[in-house]
């Protein structure tokens, strides 16, 4: 059975299905077993909860240190609070089942913590949310999938796989990731590419055909295909593709750790997009010319409390130390949209991509923002190569307001007598249609621009970047997006503001000649794409790139643009083969 989806991360995986499911914690149809029994069930569940958490505390202590472990111990303390338990018992006496009583009490505690002023106390809301889910799972007898126990050669199949779950997987045993929901630029896909694991997404209805673990599956992340229970011939064909893919990867090795030059011999700047230290090391090994985008929100995921100034300072300085004399662009917290951070306890929104996110959140929460800015300013003093970048800017006021907070942070560091980078550069991501329209105004306040094509395409084309139903509409090859990119680069040139690009399309070989012809100063791509982009750049002369771009810019639709580029690439590979 063949399914066609979106090619989210290249490579071919062959293996057995492991289904990842968020547990169903609906208790509405649970029978009532009598007051005493319900109380006894609650008591047993609490005991089991303590045993589970104690085990996790040991693991956390070994893997993440005593601070993370203390967060978990805190959950046990909360659940042994006699007031909390007596409230649950009272509700059972009023006729509720154990699940409903526990749910109601923990929810009211969670809401109480969500509404307090103090940031630290607010974070306890997340702990209680965690506690509630675990206790409900125990009460309902729902098994938790142990991601770490996955067998070798597994293909993880899910409705959706958030970036946080992907990072927790033992990827050496995972052949591929396959999901119903998501698009090329959703964060699960970006994470899969960053980690170099093949992935296919946007496979609507797939879970109806994959009901159990152990089915044999092929996932071709380069073609966006998934095949369940293939016949011998098909399997042989895909084994061959996997082999070819592995050979191509091996041939790319010569492009690792060498200068990036085009076919005219002109040096080009190729940087890396990273989410933390692990990717920074891969980027350094692959010869990145620096970091064009550090997605700092990844430091905030997978945890119950926010990283403090010291922790952030340490990470930013460590990354900076890997790239001496190269820039490291740290993007301030870009939360919201498809990047929920439980530790921030953000409210659920009708339209998260149009909501309380990124720079909007940071300006509204100067405490959280200042902790990050102080950490960046201090790290900037260690190697002098750090720059700051603001996400999702839609107005000049936002940049001015952010700079004011930055100045205040610098002032407080000066009076604390702490070293910081007093001349740190501040750039703006151009990733909304508003920013494109006022790019000349933004140039008066920004030291540099970086084009975020993932969001720019989504907002320009009004097509959710993670929604498979409109995935095809969200194309960076649409003339509206191409014209926007060209406008930004021209405005940057006019105002002498350097322009980079850090959206995913930077690693699409078909976009390379266009960006080159537009006069883009630098490209930043996922570490796993560095060698491939370097190889592609090495094959283009500016005169050829300009000729193709002239044709491309006269096309009237995304499809026509793609056809035009495809034809040029076919001619080019024919010429290369004949040469
Ligand atoms: C973008 O929007 O293009 C971008 C690089 O940022 P993110 O994918 O993190 O939104
Ligand atoms: Mg973005």
């Amino acid at each position: 059975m063949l399914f066609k989806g979106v090619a989210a991360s290249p490579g071919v995986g062959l293996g057995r299905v492991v289904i990842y499911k968020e547990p169903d914690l609906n208790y509405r149809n649970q029978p009532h077993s009598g007051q005493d029994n319900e109380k006894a069930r609650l008591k047993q569940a609490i005991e089991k909860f303590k045993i589970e958490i104690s085990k996790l505390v040991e693991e956390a202590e070994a893997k993440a240190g005593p601070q993370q472990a203390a967060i978990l111990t805190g959950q046990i303390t909360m659940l042994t609070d006699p007031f909390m338990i007596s409230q649950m018992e009272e509700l059972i006496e009023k006729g509720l089942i154990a699940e409903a009583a526990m749910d109601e009490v923990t929810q009211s505690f969670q809401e109480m913590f969500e509404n307090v002023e103090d940031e630290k106390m607010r974070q306890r809301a997340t702990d209680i949310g965690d506690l509630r889910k675990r206790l409900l799972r125990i009460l309902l007898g729902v098994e938790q999938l142990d991601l770490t126990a996955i067998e070798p050669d597994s293909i993880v199949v899910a409705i959706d796989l958030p970036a946080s779950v992907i990072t927790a997987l033992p990827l050496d045993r995972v052949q591929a990731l396959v999901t119903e929901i998501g698009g090329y630029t959703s964060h699960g896909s970006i994470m899969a590419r960053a980690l170099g694991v093949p992935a296919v997404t946007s496979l609507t209805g797939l879970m109806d055909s994959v009901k159990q673990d152990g089915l044999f599956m092929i996932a071709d992340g380069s073609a966006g295909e998934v095949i369940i229970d293939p016949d011998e011939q098909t399997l042989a064909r895909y084994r061959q593709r996997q082999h070819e893919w592995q050979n191509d990867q091996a041939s790319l090795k010569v492009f690792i750790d060498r200068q990036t030059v085009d076919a005219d011999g002109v040096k080009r700047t190729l940087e890396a997009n990273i989410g933390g230290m692990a990717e920074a090391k891969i980027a350094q090994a692959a010869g990145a010319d620096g970091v064009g985008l550090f997605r700092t929100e990844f430091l905030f995921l997978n945890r119950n409390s926010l990283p403090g100034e010291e922790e952030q300072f340490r990470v930013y300085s460590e990354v900076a130390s890997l790239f001496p004399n190269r820039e490291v662009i740290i993007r301030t917290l870009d939360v919201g949209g498809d990047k929920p951070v439980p530790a921030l306890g953000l409210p659920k929104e009708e339209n998260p991509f149009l909501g309380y996110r990124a720079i909007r959140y940071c300006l509204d929460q100067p405490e959280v923002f200042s902790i990050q800015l102080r950490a960046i300013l201090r790290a900037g003093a260690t190697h002098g190569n750090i720059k700051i970048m603001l996400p999702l800017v839609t107005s000049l006021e936002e940049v001015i307001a952010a700079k004011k907070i930055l100045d205040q942070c610098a002032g407080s560091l000066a009076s604390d007598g702490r070293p910081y980078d007093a001349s740190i550069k501040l750039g703006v991501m151009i990733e909304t249609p508003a920013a494109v329209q006022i790019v000349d105004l933004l140039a008066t306040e920004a030291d540099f621009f970086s084009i975020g094509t993932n969001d720019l395409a989504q907002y320009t084309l009004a097509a959710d970047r993670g929604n498979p139903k409109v995935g095809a509409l969200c194309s960076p090859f649409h003339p509206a997006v191409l014209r926007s990119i060209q406008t930004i680069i021209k405005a940057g040139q006019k105002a002498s503001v350097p322009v980079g690009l850090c959206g995913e399309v930077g690693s699409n070989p078909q976009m390379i000649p266009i960006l080159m012809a537009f006069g883009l100063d630098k490209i930043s791509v996922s570490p796993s794409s560095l060698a491939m982009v370097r190889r592609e750049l090495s094959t283009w002369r500016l005169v050829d790139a300009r000729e193709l771009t002239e044709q491309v810019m006269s096309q009237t639709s995304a499809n026509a643009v793609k056809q035009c580029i495809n034809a040029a690439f076919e001619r080019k590979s024919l010429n290369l083969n004949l040469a």
Side-chain angles (χ1 to χ4, degrees), residues 187 295 331 334 339 357 391-392 429 431 452 454-456 459 465:
H187 284 93
R295 288 188 167 94
R331 179 175 70 183
D334 187 9
K339 287 177 279 198
R357 54 168 301 204
L392 206 82
M429 281 197 79
E431 53 179 350
N454 308 336
D455 277 320
L456 185 58
Y459 293 121
R465 61 195 259 187

Side-chain angles (χ1 to χ4, degrees), residues 326-346:
R326 308 266 192 201
E327 67 179 11
V328 171
I329 300 179
I330 301 188
R331 179 175 70 183
T332 56
L333 193 53
D334 187 9
V335 281
D338 67 342
K339 287 177 279 198
V341 174
L344 292 174
L346 293 175

Side-chain angles (χ1 to χ4, degrees), residues 217-239:
M217 182 181 267
I218 297 171
D220 183 340
S222 307
E225 290 171 352
V226 160
I227 299 164
I228 303 169
D229 204 8
D231 57 38
E232 276 306 316
Q233 251 182 337
T234 312
L235 185 58
R237 203 167 64 243
Y238 278 88
R239 272 201 207 291

Side-chain angles (χ1 to χ4, degrees), residues 245-257 528-536:
W245 160 255
Q246 284 160 351
N247 281 348
D248 187 54
Q249 288 303 101
S251 75
L252 277 177
K253 287 221 166 84
V254 293
F255 287 92
I256 289 177
D257 200 18
S528 59
S529 302
L530 284 163
M532 188 271 290
V533 173
R534 192 172 284 133
R535 178 172 70 183
E536 191 59 38

Side-chain angles (χ1 to χ4, degrees), residues 251-271:
S251 75
L252 277 177
K253 287 221 166 84
V254 293
F255 287 92
I256 289 177
D257 200 18
R258 65 148 80 161
Q259 275 222 338
T260 307
V261 280
D262 63 21
D264 297 317
V266 174
K267 165 92 185 75
R268 301 272 164 186
T269 304
L270 182 60
E271 299 178 329

